[in-house]
Amino acid sequence: MLYEILLKQAHSIVDEIPREKIGYVVQLLQSAKGLYSAAPENYCAEERKQERLAALKRLEKYRGRLKINDDFDYKEKLEKALREKHGYIS
């Protein structure tokens, strides 16, 4: 019952959209479909793995780099950062 009501509302909304804008609606619907649909049958696990690895590599390029040498004192660095952010830390 609710599905039919929503479907009628969707049809009436689409009917009101100007023809030159209908392409945007199609793109939106395709994006929404991708949110809930399973991967296509021809989309194998190896492709998903490669896609995930590529995403990880894109994220890693934004990760900060810290050169650590033998005399690096992480406690001192942490304490200094906390003091700067929150005031005195004991």
Side-chain angles (χ1 to χ4, degrees):
M1 178 83 175
L2 178 61
Y3 174 77
E4 288 82 15
I5 294 170
L6 292 174
L7 192 58
K8 285 180 184 180
Q9 287 178 342
H11 280 286
S12 66
I13 291 170
V14 169
D15 287 341
E16 295 174 10
I17 295 174
R19 286 180 171 252
E20 64 272 4
K21 303 291 183 183
I22 203 72
Y24 297 116
V25 174
V26 171
Q27 288 177 345
L28 178 67
L29 292 172
Q30 288 172 336
S31 296
K33 181 183 175 192
L35 294 175
Y36 66 85
S37 66
E41 291 180 25
N42 62 352
Y43 191 70
C44 71
E46 184 60 31
E47 288 172 330
R48 283 194 303 269
K49 181 179 176 183
Q50 292 302 321
E51 188 177 281
R52 290 175 182 160
L53 285 173
L56 177 63
K57 287 179 183 179
R58 286 192 306 270
L59 286 173
E60 284 180 338
K61 73 179 179 181
Y62 295 108
R63 183 177 69 187
R65 304 266 185 233
L66 177 63
K67 294 182 180 178
I68 298 177
N69 48 26
D70 292 336
D71 61 343
F72 179 77
D73 184 5
Y74 77 91
K75 289 180 182 179
E76 178 185 331
K77 290 276 190 188
L78 178 61
E79 192 173 305
K80 180 181 176 191
L82 289 172
R83 223 179 292 120
E84 288 173 359
K85 184 171 184 176
H86 302 290
Y88 181 74
I89 302 292
S90 56

